[in-house]
Amino acid sequence: MEPTGPDVATTRRNVLGLLGLGAAATVGGGLLAGCGGEARSTSSAQNLDKLASLLPNHHPLAAEIPPPSFTGVRPVPDGYTDFPASLVDAITEKPSSGGQEIRAMTPAWGPAPPGVGQSAYLAAVNAELGVPVTFSVQDGNLYAEKLNALLGARDVPDLLCVPEWEVSKLPRFSDAVAALFEDLTPYLSGDAVRNYPMLATFPTGAWRNALWNERLMAIPNPTDGPFPLALFHRKDLLDAAGLGYPRTIDELFEVGKRVTDPDKGVWAFDDIFQMVQMFHKVPGTDDGWRLRPDGTPEFKYETPEFRQAVDFMARVYREGLVHPDLVASKGADAKQLLQSGKIVFKQDGIGMWQPMQAEWQKVTPGFDIQPVPIFSATGGDPLVWGDDDPISYTFVRKGLPKARVEELLRVINWCSAPFGTTEFHLREYGVEGQHHTRTAAGPAKTDLGFKEIANQYFFVSGRSPVIQPYPQTPNFVRQVLTYSNEMVKHLEKDPWSGLKLEMPARFKAGLVPTEDKITDILRGRRPLTDLDAVIQEWRTSGGGDEAREFRAKALADAGR
């Protein structure tokens, strides 16, 4: 079996590095260039606390779902170690009675799945929906570029998935939302959501994030965990070397030196700079903002903690502790290097953990990857980056008849059925005997299941998140909940919580070039002494000062 959704936590936070999208994807001016002058603003602030009356009321599902095996400390989800003995039918009527096809666009990572007419999975789910859903499945690594082109051309499908981590790359996105998508407030606000009982189970915080222009404009896909990153290590390799996982920043460096052996083709790390920043308690809110003691905003580049993190990471590179193929940006696959034991530590999202463990324990006896528990490099309590932002948003094309909008919402409602229901089971695992087989431990996907199921319906829906059972890794749910419940104690406080900020276009466009310059400094391609000049350039021409003023004004306007 595979996890629900892509490696979401990684992708969400590593928007600058892992997705490889350059500044061209974020430069201002173009998104609504074809909208006849409708684009109005380059930045905006929305006080969500004043819009609570627009939110759907929360109602638990009437169907009896088994209680979880482990309880997460919110926003960590609960976890199940076993599949229920019997499934619950959550929806008794088909969402549609044979309406016209629904066009939807969703992302996928990996080979594109077969489309309608060539997929038994799509045929089975569409039969339950009562209407054909035709997917345009796009490369997740290039999704922002596709969104920019689609929105600029004003040619949006009936249902459009916009991953949360892509929103910050789309200039004037709030204007695009107003021009191109349906206002869902009349359909979902308050108790109107009872018409869609699966959606009524969503956390209130997820709905808050679906507000644009003081209206409820999208269906959120609630996060399956608040943490963007972990530092994973090959525990089996450290055990064999008689080493434990590092508990301090000095131990991280020393263990890295101990395990690095170029003669054997082994190095300690991939690029772990984001985790190094977290260990040094560099701010992570909205890419790296916090408040100074005097109440004024400051970005991570301006903090002493960031400079300490830069110094440490540059030292790691100088000492040759990062795999040389990664230093040279030769396109080496860091996951493959970890799997093969060519590196021992890797920075990645929590979503990497279970699939890699399940696959590689069959290849390498004793294979064991575990996250390094969080620590502080500077004393005191550690700091953990994280948020409860949704994974993605589903938007409905503007201008459709009321009956069509309601039909689309019923389809989304079906796709949002929670774990323990027959609808969830079909969405996740397809048809028994074709896409999965039933085992004593639960459903096991077939080759056809892996080929045809690519989270298509997951990305046109939301769902109340849980951590599912993974029979191949029976200890995983307990391990990830234990780790997460400890991490959440140190979750960073967001001074702008309750405010929805669309940052100035110049600031958005300046982040990637600035990060690229800092990467050159870290890897020794530029001297450390260039850091001050790079940060000064970011303040003036990179939109840093403008962004600081914008954030300060947003707080003042909210009375904070």
Side-chain angles (χ1 to χ4, degrees):
M1 282 168 286
E2 60 183 334
T4 304
D7 189 355
V8 173
T10 301
T11 321
R12 179 166 75 220
R13 178 66 63 177
N14 290 324
V15 66
L16 304 178
L18 296 184
L19 294 188
L21 292 170
T26 58
V27 292
L31 184 64
L32 286 181
C35 285
E38 291 179 59
R40 302 180 307 276
S41 60
T42 59
S43 62
S44 63
Q46 186 175 205
N47 190 340
L48 303 181
D49 292 336
K50 294 183 177 180
L51 304 175
S53 62
L54 301 181
L55 300 178
N57 293 334
H58 183 271
H59 297 283
L61 193 63
E64 289 292 330
I65 304 296
S69 309
F70 294 95
T71 301
V73 178
R74 298 294 180 264
V76 175
D78 298 333
Y80 289 82
T81 56
D82 299 294
F83 286 90
S86 59
L87 300 173
V88 173
D89 290 325
I91 299 172
T92 57
E93 297 183 1
K94 291 184 186 296
S96 177
S97 56
Q100 68 184 85
E101 73 167 355
I102 296 170
R103 297 185 304 124
M105 189 176 102
T106 59
W109 288 259
V116 169
Q118 300 176 313
S119 169
Y121 170 67
L122 295 183
V125 177
N126 286 346
E128 290 299 311
L129 295 174
V131 62
V133 180
T134 302
F135 287 93
S136 173
V137 178
Q138 301 294 323
D139 183 349
N141 294 314
L142 303 175
Y143 205 69
E145 296 176 10
K146 182 65 177 180
L147 285 171
N148 259 310
L150 197 76
L151 298 175
R154 300 174 61 91
D155 181 23
V156 297
D158 301 311
L159 299 176
L160 178 66
C161 171
V162 178
E164 188 277 334
W165 59 88
E166 306 289 20
V167 170
S168 64
K169 303 193 204 105
L170 301 172
R172 300 177 176 173
F173 184 63
S174 61
D175 292 341
V177 170
L180 302 177
F181 301 118
E182 188 69 27
D183 178 3
L184 300 178
T185 312
Y187 300 91
L188 299 173
S189 182
D191 269 349
V193 77
R194 282 184 174 273
N195 292 321
Y196 313 98
M198 307 303 125
L199 305 186
T201 68
F202 290 3
T204 299
W207 286 112
R208 279 163 54 95
N209 285 278
L211 293 162
W212 272 271
N213 307 310
E214 300 188 349
R215 304 299 289 172
L216 187 62
M217 299 299 297
I219 294 93
N221 194 340
T223 182
D224 53 2
F227 311 119
L229 291 169
L231 180 62
F232 288 97
H233 66 288
R234 282 286 301 272
K235 183 177 183 299
D236 54 318
L237 297 182
L238 290 186
D239 287 348
L243 299 171
Y245 64 80
R247 292 168 170 81
T248 68
I249 199 70
D250 290 336
E251 287 184 12
L252 179 63
F253 188 83
E254 290 305 317
V255 171
K257 288 181 64 176
R258 292 275 300 273
V259 300
T260 297
D261 190 340
D263 292 339
K264 294 181 179 179
V266 177
W267 283 264
F269 306 117
D270 73 340
D271 182 357
I272 60 169
F273 184 47
Q274 287 180 296
M275 283 304 306
V276 167
Q277 292 179 64
M278 199 187 305
F279 291 144
H280 281 87
K281 297 194 278 193
V282 173
T285 295
D286 292 345
D287 293 320
W289 290 94
R290 73 180 181 192
L291 295 180
R292 298 186 179 101
D294 65 1
T296 58
E298 68 177 346
F299 194 59
K300 64 181 181 180
Y301 298 157
E302 305 166 293
T303 68
E305 292 90 343
F306 184 77
R307 291 174 181 274
Q308 291 172 334
V310 168
D311 288 343
F312 179 86
M313 195 68 212
R315 181 183 170 210
V316 167
Y317 276 107
R318 284 197 307 273
E319 290 289 329
L321 305 185
V322 178
H323 195 286
D325 287 353
L326 299 172
V327 177
S329 301
K330 293 181 179 178
D333 185 339
K335 285 188 173 71
Q336 193 278 328
L337 293 174
L338 182 70
Q339 293 159 356
S340 61
K342 299 302 183 183
I343 60 174
V344 181
F345 293 87
K346 175 165 176 31
Q347 166 189 285
D348 215 311
I350 300 295
M352 184 191 83
W353 186 356
Q354 190 280 331
M356 184 180 289
Q357 181 64 41
E359 179 182 2
W360 282 85
Q361 68 189 9
K362 296 182 293 186
V363 178
T364 304
F367 183 93
D368 189 5
I369 56 168
Q370 297 289 329
V372 174
I374 191 69
F375 60 78
S376 167
T378 56
D381 291 335
L383 177 76
V384 174
W385 293 351
D387 56 56
D388 62 351
D389 292 346
I391 296 169
S392 60
Y393 303 96
T394 299
F395 292 90
V396 175
R397 183 162 61 93
K398 190 172 186 177
L400 297 174
K402 180 173 182 289
R404 178 64 164 176
V405 174
E406 291 171 343
E407 178 189 33
L408 295 175
L409 291 174
R410 289 194 300 270
V411 166
I412 295 170
N413 181 68
W414 188 99
C415 294
S416 302
F419 175 79
T421 64
T422 56
E423 296 82 5
F424 178 98
H425 198 77
L426 178 60
R427 191 197 79 192
E428 289 293 298
Y429 302 110
V431 179
E432 184 177 350
Q434 288 184 286
H435 302 102
H436 73 271
T437 58
R438 183 178 304 194
T439 71
K445 278 188 181 176
T446 63
D447 289 343
L448 183 65
F450 283 111
K451 177 183 178 181
E452 294 189 348
I453 302 173
N455 298 301
Q456 298 98 312
Y457 297 95
F458 171 88
F459 276 119
V460 294
S461 69
R463 78 281 182 269
S464 292
V466 297
I467 300 172
Q468 299 179 48
Y470 294 96
Q472 308 100 316
T473 52
N475 295 323
F476 172 72
V477 173
R478 174 184 55 80
Q479 290 173 336
V480 72
L481 264 298
T482 300
Y483 172 80
S484 298
N485 283 345
E486 184 61 32
M487 290 275 285
V488 80
K489 297 177 184 177
H490 307 291
L491 202 61
E492 182 179 26
K493 300 291 190 296
D494 178 3
W496 291 270
S497 177
L499 300 178
K500 192 182 192 76
L501 305 177
E502 183 166 351
M503 297 298 290
R506 194 154 61 107
F507 171 77
K508 293 181 184 181
L511 277 178
V512 172
T514 305
E515 290 287 320
D516 288 344
K517 293 169 187 174
I518 291 171
T519 296
D520 286 341
I521 291 172
L522 294 174
R523 299 187 183 189
R525 296 191 284 261
R526 294 180 63 163
L528 270 170
T529 52
D530 279 4
L531 184 61
D532 286 339
V534 168
I535 294 173
Q536 182 58 39
E537 184 181 0
W538 165 82
R539 286 191 182 115
T540 55
S541 60
D545 288 340
E546 180 185 357
R548 184 187 301 95
E549 292 171 6
F550 167 69
R551 282 187 169 266
K553 183 176 185 303
L555 286 177
D557 289 347
R560 301 186 190 179

